[in-house]
Amino acid sequence: AQTVTQSQPEMSVQEAETVTLSCTYDTSESDYYLFWYKQPPSRQMILVIRQEAYKQQNATENRFSVNFQKAAKSFSLKISDSQLGDAAMYFCALALNRDDKIIFGKGTRLHILP
Amino acid sequence: NAGVMQNPRHLVRRRGQEARLRCSPMKGHSHVYWYRQLPEEGLKFMVYLQKENIIDESGMPKERFSAEFPKEGPSILRIQQVVRGDSAAYFCASSPTPLTGGNGYTFGSGTRLTVV
């Protein structure tokens, strides 16, 4: 069975600073994808970034980047130059290439301090 | 191109009533997925449907819950005889193909069901 663990229920960061959200996962499969989703108070689920497990290069989307450590099964999200609009719940998620489900972690609530 | 549309956005039901949640996938998407988010939890898979077929219902509670995706019209998640523990946000997602590419779904904004 696949699991995703986010050990930080809440985090705070000063506006314009950098913050890293942690995620670990477990799977015996070798072909999978990892995601970070953002859920603002509007409840909309927004895909922030995705990573293919077979790629060693870390994915980057503007101010968002990941640190993918496959051997350690770690997938952290770094947000640079934090903005007030980044305040949200962030979910780490895993999908196997052969499956149709996404397995989500419990989320980390990120607060941005002005 | 409208996104995944879910309605209603909020739904209040008394214990024992039926709840019907609707999901219209993105245009051209024939694969629909339902997820449930309990308070302070991540989303959990419930069911995967294609038009007129249930492909995977391994996450559906065995009783009171059912889902359909007819040839015409939206996908419906139906909860009979609701109980307080059914209070949650229910999300629908759609994709044009099965999730073999790991592109991630396009989610709707969810329906928040409150059972009183």
Side-chain angles (χ1 to χ4, degrees), chain B residues 5-101:
Chain B
M5 304 302 292
Q6 288 189 249
N7 65 81
R9 186 154 173 78
H10 302 278
L11 182 62
V12 179
R13 283 288 177 266
R14 295 187 182 279
R15 281 177 293 170
Q17 290 185 320
E18 178 179 288
R20 280 183 175 245
L21 288 62
R22 294 175 188 77
C23 168
S24 296
M26 288 184 70
K27 188 176 180 180
H29 288 196
S30 59
H31 301 260
V32 165
Y33 313 84
W34 285 93
Y35 282 73
R36 177 166 66 173
Q37 184 180 28
L38 295 170
E40 303 304 316
E41 295 276 331
L43 279 68
K44 285 192 164 52
F45 170 82
M46 298 182 76
V47 62
Y48 161 38
L49 309 105
Q50 292 180 22
K51 288 279 187 182
E52 299 183 282
N53 283 306
I54 297 174
I55 306 301
D56 182 351
E57 56 182 348
S58 59
M60 286 278 270
K62 294 285 184 267
E63 297 177 349
R64 302 187 298 107
F65 285 73
S66 63
E68 63 177 11
F69 189 17
K71 188 176 180 181
E72 300 291 338
S75 175
I76 305 288
L77 180 68
R78 183 182 176 206
I79 311 172
Q80 295 178 290
Q81 298 175 327
V82 296
V83 301
R84 288 219 169 111
D86 297 333
S87 295
Y90 291 83
F91 287 89
C92 170
S94 73
S95 70
T97 60
L99 190 66
T100 54

Side-chain angles (χ1 to χ4, degrees), chain A residues 34 48-52 55-62 64-68 75-78:
Chain A
L34 293 161
V48 174
I49 201 164
R50 64 184 281 269
Q51 173 82 42
E52 295 101 327
K55 285 189 177 179
Q56 291 187 335
Q57 187 173 5
N58 290 323
T60 299
E61 288 288 341
N62 301 313
F64 298 86
S65 61
V66 298
N67 184 4
F68 175 43
F75 184 62
S76 60
L77 175 70
K78 185 172 84 171

